Amino acid sequence: MNSEQIKNSLNISPAIRVGVLGFGGLGQAAAKVVAGKQEMILVAAADQKGYAYATEGLNTEKSVAAYQAQGSVGYLEPIGTLTNQSIQDLIEIAEVDGYFLALPNLPNDFIPNVAKEFIKSGWRGVLVDAIKRTTAVEQLLAMKEELQAAGITYMTGCGATPGLLTAAAALAAQSYAEIHQVEITFGVGIANWEAYRATVREDIGHMPGYTVEAARAMTDAEVEALLDKTNGVLTLTNMEHADDVMLEVAGIVGRDRVTVGGVVDTRNPKKPLSTNVKVTGRTFEGKISTHTFTLGDETSMAANVCGPAFGYLKAGRQLHQRGIYGIFTAAEIMPQFVK
Ligand code: NAD
């Protein structure tokens, strides 16, 4: 029996066939997360230079090794393929129930354009992103009817923030009759910035004097020079983060009451501060109070992004199987725990 058959024999329903688009820091972590699951099997992975696809499942260690040694999963023998249109190729040939888009959103409409490719192709299934910017989520929300007509269930903003923390805010809001403030503060510690180039570039785009376009255009040497000046630390305040639009669309609080900021240390895996969300509101008795949800300091960014992403993929799959298509945010749907 191959690994898919073994997984299928253990479950009443067959394992969900997942693909990961983008095989950098988060994409590789996503593959490792799926490797420990019975309910999901990783059948496809793609990066800028190629893809690997196998119906019986990819070997995570070998896929990561091929990417790290040669720069693409397309080098994975014997199933890898080198191409500069890996996403389009996979859409055409691969049988996948749901994809996690671990892609850079540079420029700011990159992931919305990938979603358009899926719509155009006639592919049906679940798409999940961990996109960060408000304006990017707005572009996707505007595609609701096209996604519905295409038979795609799209789960947006399903990483850590937005994602896990936005969902926690939606849950915390239930104690209150009126929500006054949602304040998200994140701490990220990574050993070296090269492991998460897109994440770091997108964060630089939030700094005063920078834009998404400016950050995208920076060479690696320029990013390093900037990080040298700040001792590897990026301090971010009042970020344009989609937690605001997601909580507004879910009817919980106006976007002007939601703030997001954080500190990213690119030279130390230890978190510079504990990631938390504080939700302040008034109860029906007139009491003002604050709920605080704090993530464990030992949990990495990768754990807090990839876990929820697959939890939402499973939830999206259930919606899809019931014929419910369109677009949903992490603030509207409860993620399902993946066994
Ligand atoms: P990365 O730079 O490490 O990797 C990006 C990957 O995408 C690479 O493998 C690259 O080859 C691939 N890629 C680029 N263009 C491609 C194309 N046209 N076709 C196929 N593959 C392509 O990125 P990362 O640091 O892992 O970040 C991925 C995304 O996750 C970013 O958009 C980031 O903002 C997001 N993120 C979200 C959260 C959250 O909490 N919501 C947290 C961290 C990161």
Side-chain angles (χ1 to χ4, degrees), residues 16-20 96-100 123 125-128 313 317:
I16 302 171
R17 296 165 300 182
V18 302
V20 173
V96 171
D97 300 311
Y99 283 101
F100 171 35
W123 181 87
V126 182
L127 298 175
V128 180
L313 197 154
R317 170 87 174 141

Side-chain angles (χ1 to χ4, degrees), residues 11-94:
N11 286 287
I12 299 156
S13 49
I16 302 171
R17 296 165 300 182
V18 302
V20 173
L21 302 182
F23 211 62
L26 285 181
Q28 291 169 46
K32 291 176 190 166
V33 167
V34 176
K37 304 289 188 186
Q38 284 92 54
E39 289 182 328
M40 286 186 177
I41 177 169
L42 181 72
V43 295
D47 56 54
Q48 203 165 13
K49 296 189 209 138
Y51 68 85
Y53 172 60
T55 50
E56 70 280 11
L58 299 180
N59 179 311
T60 302
E61 266 171 46
K62 286 186 183 160
S63 307
V64 169
Y67 186 90
Q68 289 185 351
Q70 287 163 288
S72 175
V73 282
Y75 288 103
L76 182 64
E77 292 288 352
I79 53 168
T81 303
L82 293 168
T83 161
N84 56 12
Q85 44 159 35
S86 60
I87 299 175
Q88 288 86 342
D89 290 357
L90 267 185
I91 293 176
E92 247 172 62
I93 60 144

Side-chain angles (χ1 to χ4, degrees), residues 22-26 47-48 67 103-105 130 132 160-161 196 198-199 202:
F23 211 62
L26 285 181
D47 56 54
Q48 203 165 13
Y67 186 90
L103 294 161
N105 197 38
K132 293 207 274 202
T161 168
Y196 294 97
T199 302
E202 288 177 36

